[in-house]
Amino acid sequence: MVEDNIILDLLNRSDEKGIKLIFDQYYRYLCHAVYKVIPDTHIVEDLVQEVFYEIWKKRERLQINISLKAYLRRASINKSLNYVRAQRMKFSDNEDIKERFVDDDNSHEKVELSELTEVINQAVESLPERCRLVFSLSRFESMSYKEIAEQLDISMKTVENQISKALKILRKEINIYHKS
Amino acid sequence: MKRKVNISDIHKLITKDDSFVFSDDDRKAILEDSNYESINSVWEDSLLYTPDESFSPKAGFDSFKNRFDISNDSRSTHLIKNAGIDVKQKPRKIFYLRKMAVAASIILIAAVVSVLFFLNTATKYNTNDNVQNIAMIDQSSIVLDKQSTLIEKPGYGTDHRTVVLNGKANFDIKKNKDLPFKILMGSSSVEVLGTQFDLSNMNGIIELALIEGKVRFSTDGGESYEIIAGERLTYVEKTLKINTSKIDDYSVFSWSNNGLRYTNASVSHVLTSLSQYFDYDLKWSGHSAELCTKITMTNIVDPKIDELVEIIESIVDIDLGVDHSSKTIEVININC
C-alpha cells in the first residue's frame, strides 16, 4: 500500500505512475461502492474512470485534506448521483422483485462468501431499482432521508416508503434463510 | 393510546437520522415494537452486502488509457518537448536524467516519510497489574486487560485505524466506513465492521468472542471468516487451525463496567477466568463439575472475590475456599 502523499506527489509531478497507483489501490473498492448505487458494471467502470480523469486533469493543483480513499469515494458517489439525475431514471414503484439466483454461470469467479453474505447479496440485488438505490444511499453512504430526497429529487415520503419496502423484502429473504 | 410504529420509524431511530426527533414516549414505543429486533437485525446484516462483480484494476487502467489520452499530457512529454527532441526519437539521456530525478525524489520522499514516521512514533499502552481504559481519538473505547500491550500506529484516526494487540482486550468501536478498524496479531488480523467484542492474543492462540455486530477475521495465509454476534473463533497460529462455534458456554469480561459477565458458562470456565481476573491460583483436584448447572451472572459491577464465590456456591452445589494470603481459590467439594 503506497501512502497517499507519495501518490499525490507523483500526480503533482504529472507522473503517470500516480494514476496507475490509484487504479491499483482504489479502483476495485470504488467500483464496488458505486455498484451498490448503480448496479451496472459498464456504467460503474465508466464513472469511476471519469473521476480518475478529473483528478488527472487537476493533478498539478490538487489539494486533498481528507484521505485520498475518502475523497475518491465521495467524488465517485457524487458522480454516480449526477448520472442518476442526468438520466432522469424512471422507476416503477410496482416493479416486481427480480428473479433470484439469475446468474450463476460465473460462480467460479465469485469470491467465496459465507452463506449469509450470499443470501444478503441476492436479497439486495433482488430489490426493485429505486428501492435498492434509496436503500443503498441510506445503508452504505449513511445519507439521511432529507439528503436522499434532495439528491434524487423525490419526496421524503417516497424515501420513507422505499426504505420500508426494502427492509420488509430483506427481512423476508433473510427469514427464509434462517428457517431453511 | 399506544403510538403506531412504522418500519421506517424503526429505521430512523436506528440510523439516528437527525431530520426526525422522537419524544421519549415515541422512542420507547419504537424500542418495544415487535418489529424492532428483526428490523435492527436486518439492518446490521445488510452491511454484509458485497457485490460479486470483479473489477480488474489492470483492465480498468487499460480502458482508461484508451478513453483518455493522458500520455500526451504527462511530464515525460513536456520534458521531451522542452528539449526540442522529436518524440519518435529515443531520448535516452533525458529519459535517464528523468529516471534519476524521479528516483531521487522518491528516495527523498521516503526519507522524509521515514523521519516523520519516527518523529510521530507509535503510542504504546502496556498494562502490568491494572486494567486500562483507553479512549481513542475516533471515540472508540478499548479496555486493555492486565499484562497486555496495545500499539496505536502513527496516523491513527486520520489515515487509518490500525492497532496491534498482544494480550486481551474489549473493543467498543465507533463506526467509520471510510476507515475500517483493524487489529493486527502476528499472522492474523481482525477487521471490524462496527461492533463490540472480546479479543485475546496470548501464546499464539487467538480467541474472538462477538457480543454485537460483525467482524472479519483474516490470516496471512489468505483465509477469511466473517464472525457474527453470538459466535466465537479460535485460531492456533502454530497449527494454523481455525475453529468457529456458537457461543453457548462462555464468559465475557464486561470491562467497561469494571465487572464480569457470564452466560451459561461451565463451572470450570467461571473458576478459571475468575482466578485469572483476580490473579489467584486455582487448586482443583479429583472433582468433576461436568454435571453441574451452568452459570449465568450479569452486570457484576466492581466484583469482589468473596462475594462471587458465595454467589457461585448458591447456584451450584460446590464448596469453595479462598485464601487471600496465598492468593488461592480451592475447590473443596462438588456434589453435582
Side-chain angles (χ1 to χ4, degrees), chain A residues 24-134:
Chain A
D24 290 343
Q25 292 188 188
Y26 302 120
Y27 186 67
R28 190 172 283 132
Y29 164 78
L30 294 169
C31 286
H32 278 153
V34 174
Y35 186 87
K36 288 173 183 172
V37 178
I38 303 174
D40 181 310
T41 50
H42 297 298
I43 297 170
V44 166
E45 294 200 79
D46 281 356
L47 293 173
V48 172
Q49 287 171 19
E50 280 165 26
V51 169
F52 288 1
Y53 186 55
E54 278 156 27
I55 297 269
W56 177 254
K57 280 195 293 186
K58 56 185 177 188
R59 61 193 179 278
E60 280 164 357
R61 57 182 192 285
L62 193 62
Q63 282 200 328
I64 296 174
N65 300 320
I66 52 175
S67 77
L68 183 56
K69 188 177 179 181
Y71 174 89
L72 290 170
R73 185 183 177 109
R74 194 181 295 167
S76 302
I77 294 298
N78 286 343
K79 185 96 187 162
S80 59
L81 289 172
N82 284 339
Y83 176 84
V84 169
R85 279 195 299 270
Q87 294 299 307
R88 297 187 175 279
M89 285 185 170
K90 296 284 180 217
F91 304 104
S92 162
D93 281 348
N94 298 320
E95 188 184 355
D96 290 335
I97 298 171
K98 291 172 199 162
E99 195 66 39
R100 292 174 65 197
F101 313 113
V102 186
D103 175 19
D104 264 346
D105 292 336
N106 62 343
S107 54
H108 60 284
E109 289 174 357
K110 288 181 181 174
V111 182
E112 255 187 46
L113 300 168
S114 71
E115 267 185 65
L116 180 60
T117 307
E118 218 165 311
V119 170
I120 303 280
N121 282 1
Q122 284 158 357
V124 172
E125 285 171 13
S126 76
L127 294 175
E129 264 184 75
R130 173 155 62 174
C131 189
R132 173 189 161 128
L133 174 59
V134 171

Side-chain angles (χ1 to χ4, degrees), chain B residues 213-240:
Chain B
K214 290 172 203 65
V215 300
R216 181 177 294 117
F217 178 87
S218 308
T219 66
D220 285 355
E223 289 185 88
S224 183
Y225 292 81
E226 267 169 3
I227 307 297
I228 59 172
E231 287 185 343
R232 168 198 279 155
L233 177 143
T234 310
Y235 171 58
V236 182
E237 285 188 310
K238 205 170 182 178
T239 59
L240 304 178

Side-chain angles (χ1 to χ4, degrees), chain A residues 129-143:
Chain A
E129 264 184 75
R130 173 155 62 174
C131 189
R132 173 189 161 128
L133 174 59
V134 171
F135 176 78
S136 291
L137 292 176
S138 171
R139 172 74 282 199
F140 307 112
E141 300 308 319
S142 305
M143 286 169 68

Side-chain angles (χ1 to χ4, degrees), chain B residues 117 120-127 134 136 142 144 148-154 156 160-167 169 171 181-184:
Chain B
F117 179 83
N120 184 16
T121 48
T123 309
K124 187 173 180 181
Y125 302 92
N126 198 358
T127 57
I134 305 167
M136 308 296 277
I142 299 172
L144 194 60
S148 300
T149 305
L150 185 98
I151 298 170
E152 182 189 315
K153 292 191 150 194
Y156 179 93
H160 64 81
R161 294 200 300 164
T162 302
V163 296
V164 181
L165 173 70
N166 195 0
F171 295 84
F181 189 90
K182 206 167 182 182
I183 305 143
L184 306 179

